DNA sequence: ATTATCTATAGATCTATAGATAATGC
DNA sequence: ATTATCTATAGATCTATAGATAATGC
């Protein structure tokens, strides 16, 4: 009986016309999930997974406590989901850069600069990245393989000189994380860590380019060339909106 | 009245003869504190400060629960104490190296190699170092200022070429932490992170020297010179025994 | 006598679930 | 009718302390 009514009433008029016709209900569901993810990011970026209670997350998300378990099995589960979201959108961005730009050295520089700029625009993203950057599995699943690939391309093209490629990747990974750490601390005007940060803060605006230039030097470019490549205009890349950013109104 | 008795009874006979005359009681006290510190290091290196319960620490230290509060006010307090111990002994080691070695490039290489070797010998020390390496205050209080000083020396001596010294320090700090992370993962034959780690594991024994060589390249030494300096024999340094190592028997 | 240690426990916090309520789709 | 959400709560865990016991120094 129920089946026949469903059949008769399907495809109402005003729906297929314009929007992708996402059922109102599932959109709501997705939004609640994103609220939880964003709240978790905000809290865990500062205090780490262990330092945050599920209760805090639901309160920050302004959602009933039990609702949490409609979306995630545990604190580990939501943390894993965060890691996935962060790495996926990050990886997608770097892939876009690699597509758009010809010169391998410029691809590398743009990737570094993109990372640092984004860390400045979204400090929570940056803090979280630093926090999980040395966690388990990141070497295989994260950005290291991608970077290894990009560096190989550069070496093959005669653009980079690197005697020890794997170790170079390790070094670059750490250097970038270290710069992200510094950058987010500068952005926050963080308590402590004056003295030193003030040294770098000379032209804080330039830290992405400065970092890129230093690392291009590591890859064998000479000083002037490195400085030049690090300042080329960045390609504009269009990312699909992240689940982790505030929802645009409208 | 109390004062006079103290004066009369001081300096008993059998004590000043041989040993440093540490009262048996205070030695015991020191040992208990070290047991707690070592247990905390073991647990917190893996799971971080928040992920460990005081109860676990006292159980691992084989000490009554309440005893904890005779030594530390809170979990934060024992964590802070750990950070101090780690940084102090680390800093002392690097200072010794800087004293013993003439060539600034060699000082730098030896410091990097020492760090990685120690991380391999004491994986807990290494994991903990990685964990706090991007924490608050480390830039001012930690090793960054020392490294900045060493690099300046090298630049002044014409041994290093670095256009952007602060950013170079940031990069080197991250690269070393990244290598320590890799190194401890290799040592543990950690779950996950194969694939990539296997790449580096080619000659895992050499990671300290390989890391030093790559970073000497970053500092402007040419390839052959870097490889040569990174392999010079290390100075032998004698450290005061750490509170964090297992107590030698006898 | 003094001091460190242990055991026991009160109170707080946190997780996971069950059952009630509200919102949506048909 | 179905599904998401909320409130309430039981049980587990954890912290901090109080009071009892053991060990040391004089």
């Amino acid at each position: 009986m129920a089946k026949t009514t469903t059949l008769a009433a399907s495809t109402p008029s005003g729906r297929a016309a314009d929007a992708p016709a996402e059922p109102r209900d599932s959109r709501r569901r997705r939004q609640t999930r994103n609220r939880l993810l964003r709240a978790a990011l905000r809290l865990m970026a500062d205090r780490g997974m262990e330092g945050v209670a599920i209760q805090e997350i639901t309160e920050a998300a302004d959602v009933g406590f039990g609702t949490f378990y409609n979306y995630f099995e545990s604190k580990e589960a939501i943390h894993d989901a965060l890691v996935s979201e962060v790495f996926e959108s990050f990886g997608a961005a770097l892939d876009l850069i690699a597509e758009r730009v010809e010169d391998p050295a410029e691809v590398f520089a743009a990737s570094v600069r993109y990372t640092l700029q984004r860390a400045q625009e979204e400090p929570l993203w940056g803090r979280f990245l630093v926090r999980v950057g040395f966690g388990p599995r990141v070497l295989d699943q994260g950005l290291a393989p991608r970077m290894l690939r990009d560096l190989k391309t550069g070496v093959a093209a005669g653009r980079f000189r690197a005697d020890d490629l794997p170790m170079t990747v390790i070094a670059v990974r750490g250097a970038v994380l270290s710069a992200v750490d510094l950058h987010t601390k500068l952005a926050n005007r963080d308590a402590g860590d004056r003295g030193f940060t003030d040294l770098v803060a000379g032209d804080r605006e330039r830290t992405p380019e400065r970092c890129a230039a230093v690392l291009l030097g590591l890859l064998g470019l000479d000083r002037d060339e490195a400085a030049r490549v690090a300042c080329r205009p960045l390609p504009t890349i269009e990312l699909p909106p992240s689940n982790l950013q505030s929802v645009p109104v409208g």
Side-chain angles (χ1 to χ4, degrees), chain A residues 170-194:
Chain A
I170 293 291
V172 169
R173 162 184 83 140
V176 171
L177 284 178
S178 178
V180 170
D181 173 59
L182 173 78
H183 214 45
T184 57
K185 281 177 180 166
L186 288 177
N188 285 355
R189 266 296 164 227
D190 215 345
D193 284 323
R194 291 304 172 78

Side-chain angles (χ1 to χ4, degrees), chain A residues 109 113 206 209-210 212-217 221-232:
Chain A
R113 291 163 68 194
R206 282 278 144 71
E209 286 72 30
R210 290 168 64 190
V214 164
L215 291 181
L216 284 173
L221 274 70
D222 71 45
R223 169 202 310 217
D224 295 334
E225 180 73 2
R228 226 176 304 131
V229 172
C231 288
R232 287 193 196 149

Side-chain angles (χ1 to χ4, degrees), chain A residues 67-148:
Chain A
T67 299
F68 179 89
Y69 292 93
N70 282 338
Y71 294 89
F72 304 101
E73 276 197 338
S74 64
K75 208 157 58 172
E76 285 75 22
I78 197 175
H79 187 264
D80 287 354
L82 271 183
V83 172
S84 295
E85 297 270 353
V86 164
F87 276 174
E88 266 168 38
S89 91
F90 190 19
L94 297 193
D95 284 342
L96 273 179
I97 292 177
E99 273 178 33
R100 288 271 193 301
V101 180
E102 192 80 15
D103 174 17
E106 195 174 336
V107 170
F108 177 84
S111 298
V112 171
R113 291 163 68 194
Y114 169 79
T115 307
L116 289 175
Q117 281 182 14
R118 182 158 174 186
Q120 191 173 39
E121 287 159 19
E122 299 177 57
L124 296 178
W125 183 88
R127 296 307 304 159
F128 190 80
L129 192 69
V130 169
R131 203 172 263 284
V132 301
F134 289 145
R137 321 224 148 226
V138 288
L139 282 178
D140 277 349
Q141 147 201 333
L143 307 159
R146 200 182 316 262
M147 199 188 297
L148 183 61

